[in-house]
Amino acid sequence: MRTRASGRTVGGLRTLSLQAPAVTLLLLWMLIPLGMTLWFSFQRYNMLMPGMSGFAGFENYRYLLTDPALWSSMGTTLVLVGSVLAITVIGGILLAVLFQQEFLGRGIARILIISPFFVMPTVSALIWQNMIMHPVNGVLAWLFGVFGLPSVEWFSELPLVSIIIIVSWEWLPFALLILLTALQSLDEDQVEAARMDGAGPLAIFFFITLPHLKRAISVVIMIEMIFLLSIFAEIFVTTSGGPGLATTNLAYFIYIRALFEFDVGGASAGGVIAIILANIVAIFLIRTVAKNLEN
């Protein structure tokens, strides 16, 4: 018994010694930036006024929480995230059901529809800005001209809608990939039995397909929510947060604070607020997904 216990102890120590460098590096990589952000959030530090520095207490947080621009950016973030989630989840479900059917060229079509997910966000934004949504030379302007409709200045007349369209185009293939993979594990015998009992396509979809995709939908929402909270490149390339604050989300608000106003303390306080909100959302989503997995 002693030999067996000592062998387990030695093996555990060896495993711990092998894991320790990687775990230590990971913790340093995470904790040092977080610690610096917390430190600067309590400092009066503006790069345009180096002489005015020192401990500010909760002044940065108080100033931010009374700034209408912060609440406007949080509202824009919620609208942006909610709209993209609705489009990608609903569109992903419908496309997954469509691509589950047999048709000529299905393999090529699957590759083509998934490919936008692998395009860099900056490149996607440039493609949509200069080739699709351009008011003179864009594809949409040409289509509107064919039907005798006036062209639309997308990024000045409908700026937030434009960002939602671009981001949804990027993330729809991801939702489709996850949902299509989950749909392929659906028991065809169950579907065939429902058809023999007289169930139509809509009944099969709502009572068999959707319940089967419940876990996959939860995973899609969780992963997309975490990434969509930090959308930046699409806004930076196309609208720069404008007109006014129309497309300024929380990530771009922090960017403006840090690199336009050079307010490191205020930007760090905004970063801490963003971290808190992201963790609240992540905890809620993880619990929801865990509950679905248990069921």
Side-chain angles (χ1 to χ4, degrees):
M1 294 294 292
R2 291 180 180 177
T3 305
R4 188 174 299 175
S6 62
R8 289 179 180 175
T9 303
V10 172
L13 289 174
R14 288 176 180 174
T15 304
L16 182 61
S17 64
L18 292 173
Q19 294 175 348
V23 173
T24 303
L25 181 62
L26 182 61
L27 287 176
L28 291 175
W29 180 58
M30 294 171 58
L31 293 178
I32 289 178
L34 179 60
M36 292 181 66
T37 303
L38 284 171
W39 168 258
F40 282 117
S41 69
F42 291 103
Q43 299 297 312
R44 189 179 293 105
Y45 181 25
N46 191 308
M47 289 185 285
L48 294 178
M49 296 177 287
M52 296 178 59
S53 61
F55 184 72
F58 289 94
E59 180 182 338
N60 292 323
Y61 293 96
R62 191 180 303 111
Y63 180 79
L64 278 181
L65 293 175
T66 56
D67 186 0
L70 173 66
W71 299 104
S72 174
S73 64
M74 292 177 66
T76 301
T77 302
L78 292 176
V79 172
L80 179 58
V81 172
S83 301
V84 173
L85 280 177
I87 293 172
T88 54
V89 171
I90 296 174
I93 293 172
L94 297 178
L95 288 175
V97 173
L98 174 63
F99 279 89
Q100 182 69 3
Q101 311 302 317
E102 291 285 347
F103 59 88
L104 183 63
R106 185 178 67 170
I108 298 175
R110 283 180 175 180
I111 295 173
L112 291 176
I113 201 166
I114 292 173
S115 59
F117 181 67
F118 302 101
V119 180
M120 295 178 62
T122 306
V123 178
S124 299
L126 288 172
I127 290 172
W128 278 88
Q129 182 183 30
N130 298 313
M131 300 179 65
I132 301 177
M133 291 182 169
H134 194 279
V136 177
N137 302 317
V139 174
L140 294 179
W142 175 79
L143 286 175
F144 288 166
V146 170
F147 293 99
L149 300 173
S151 61
V152 179
E153 292 278 353
W154 288 94
F155 296 104
S156 59
E157 297 177 11
L158 300 169
L160 188 56
V161 173
S162 304
I163 300 297
I164 291 172
I165 292 173
I166 294 172
V167 178
S168 300
W169 180 79
E170 294 171 356
W171 282 95
L172 182 59
F174 171 78
L176 170 61
L177 184 62
I178 300 298
L179 295 171
L180 183 59
T181 304
L183 194 58
Q184 289 176 347
S185 64
L186 179 63
D187 188 2
E188 291 295 333
D189 293 336
Q190 184 180 5
V191 176
E192 190 62 29
R195 286 174 182 164
M196 293 179 64
D197 289 338
L202 289 178
I204 293 174
F205 176 76
F206 284 106
F207 294 103
I208 297 178
T209 304
L210 274 184
H212 179 77
L213 293 176
K214 185 178 179 180
R215 295 181 180 179
I217 293 171
S218 300
V219 172
V220 169
I221 292 175
M222 182 184 70
I223 296 176
E224 284 194 14
M225 179 79 78
I226 294 171
F227 282 94
L228 293 176
L229 287 172
S230 59
I231 293 172
F232 177 80
E234 296 86 348
I235 298 173
F236 178 79
V237 171
T238 56
T239 63
S240 298
L245 297 174
T247 56
T248 300
N249 65 344
L250 192 55
Y252 201 83
F253 174 79
I254 296 170
Y255 166 77
I256 292 174
R257 278 282 179 186
L259 296 180
F260 276 78
E261 300 178 8
F262 299 98
D263 185 7
V264 177
S268 300
V272 173
I273 293 174
I275 291 171
I276 294 172
L277 292 177
N279 277 276
I280 292 173
V281 171
I283 291 171
F284 171 76
L285 290 175
I286 288 172
R287 287 184 176 179
T288 303
V289 173
K291 190 178 297 183
N292 287 334
L293 291 177
E294 287 176 1
N295 295 333

